[in-house]
Amino acid sequence: MLKACIFDLDGVIVDTAKYHYIAWKEIARELNFDFTEHDNERLKGVSRMRSLDILLEIGGLLLNEETKISLADKKNKNYVSYIEKMTSAEILPGVPAFLKELKNNRIKTAIGSASKNTPLILQRIGLANYFDEVVDGNKASKAKPDPEVFLLGASGLGVSPGNCVVFEDAEAGIEAALAAGMKCVGVGNPQILYKAHMVISGFEEMDFNRLKTFSEI
Ligand code: BG6
Ligand code: MG
């Protein structure tokens, strides 16, 4: 029975993927290699340091730990300069109406994100107190595709994993949801998110009735 929805944040509630991309591209430019939007797919859903490792692998570079920490810090400062300017206007279309429907139908909600900037983003878009539980990169120690972030979300809500539906835009996140034993809706491109149980292109396509039917299958 459907009792809770757990939402990834970046790329599901807001399109911060574009800011992550710009900020990593700047680091790649400094290191003299190109970083494409296609490559950026590999960074979605994974932690900041793991993202840097993937970026360096794309550029064919091996750097020491100290340099890596300073590059990740630099990327984050640049990224934060973008998200500090976000407003509720950047909540993705259809999300507010769907969240409201969930509340009206007493479905619990949580955020399950790898981002350490989750509190700042939620505050900027006016959703800091909206979710019943927030599990982010400050709380979870294992990055997606490990299921930890979603399992912590479910236990924080007091709901069994089998009664949760996860919304995810990244392959690593879908794998994490499946490993947690949860139903998973991919948000984005079905060719990339084919492992999800269902894929929608955005929340205008989703409503409570569709969710309920999906969760019962
Ligand atoms: C995820 C993003 O939500 O958070 C990743 O999809 C990002 O691209 C990760 O690397 C960590 O984010 P942050 O804000 O802690 O650097
Ligand atoms: Mg995401």
Side-chain angles (χ1 to χ4, degrees):
M1 196 179 128
L2 171 69
K3 291 195 177 155
C5 288
I6 308 182
F7 296 86
D8 172 47
L9 178 65
D10 293 317
V12 171
I13 302 287
V14 280
D15 180 18
T16 38
K18 63 184 178 212
Y19 301 134
H20 279 295
Y21 175 59
I22 299 170
W24 282 127
K25 199 172 170 68
E26 179 64 26
I27 297 290
R29 199 189 54 80
E30 264 181 48
L31 297 171
N32 291 315
F33 64 89
D34 192 28
F35 174 55
T36 66
E37 273 191 75
H38 176 75
D39 291 334
N40 190 48
E41 281 303 317
R42 292 179 60 196
L43 272 51
K44 287 186 181 174
V46 299
S47 70
R48 193 179 307 165
M49 290 312 287
R50 177 74 193 121
S51 295
L52 177 61
D53 283 338
I54 297 171
L55 185 83
L56 295 177
E57 187 191 305
I58 291 164
L61 294 174
L62 273 180
L63 300 175
N64 64 36
E65 208 47 34
E66 204 184 322
T67 312
K68 288 206 297 193
I69 290 170
S70 113
L71 286 173
D73 263 10
K74 194 170 191 180
K75 178 267 172 179
N76 192 53
K77 286 203 179 88
N78 191 4
Y79 174 66
V80 167
S81 75
Y82 292 107
I83 59 174
E84 267 173 353
K85 297 187 200 98
M86 289 177 81
T87 67
S88 59
E90 285 187 64
I91 299 176
L92 287 167
V95 170
F98 183 59
L99 289 176
K100 227 172 262 166
E101 256 199 306
L102 294 180
K103 220 161 232 189
N104 292 342
N105 287 283
R106 295 200 183 80
I107 302 296
K108 292 185 180 176
T109 56
I111 290 286
S113 169
S115 174
K116 294 187 171 167
N117 291 299
T118 296
L120 173 61
I121 296 170
L122 289 179
Q123 184 237 319
R124 291 302 313 154
I125 62 175
L127 292 180
N129 298 311
Y130 196 89
F131 296 92
D132 300 307
E133 177 70 9
V134 175
V135 181
D136 62 18
N138 303 295
K139 289 189 193 159
S141 54
K142 296 181 203 137
K144 299 170 188 176
D146 189 281
E148 186 190 27
V149 66
F150 295 132
L151 291 174
L152 285 175
S155 75
L157 293 172
V159 172
S160 317
N163 295 329
C164 296
V165 172
V166 168
F167 291 87
E168 256 296 345
D169 73 316
E171 196 183 352
I174 288 165
E175 286 169 0
L178 299 181
M182 299 177 181
K183 283 245 164 110
C184 186
V185 179
V187 184
N189 183 341
Q191 274 165 354
I192 297 170
L193 308 177
Y194 63 91
K195 287 181 191 157
H197 295 109
M198 167 166 93
V199 179
I200 55 173
S201 65
F203 281 89
E204 301 106 316
E205 278 177 30
M206 184 43 90
D207 60 29
F208 181 67
N209 283 335
R210 187 167 181 204
L211 174 72
K212 214 164 168 301
T213 311
F214 162 73
S215 71
E216 282 160 7
I217 293 167

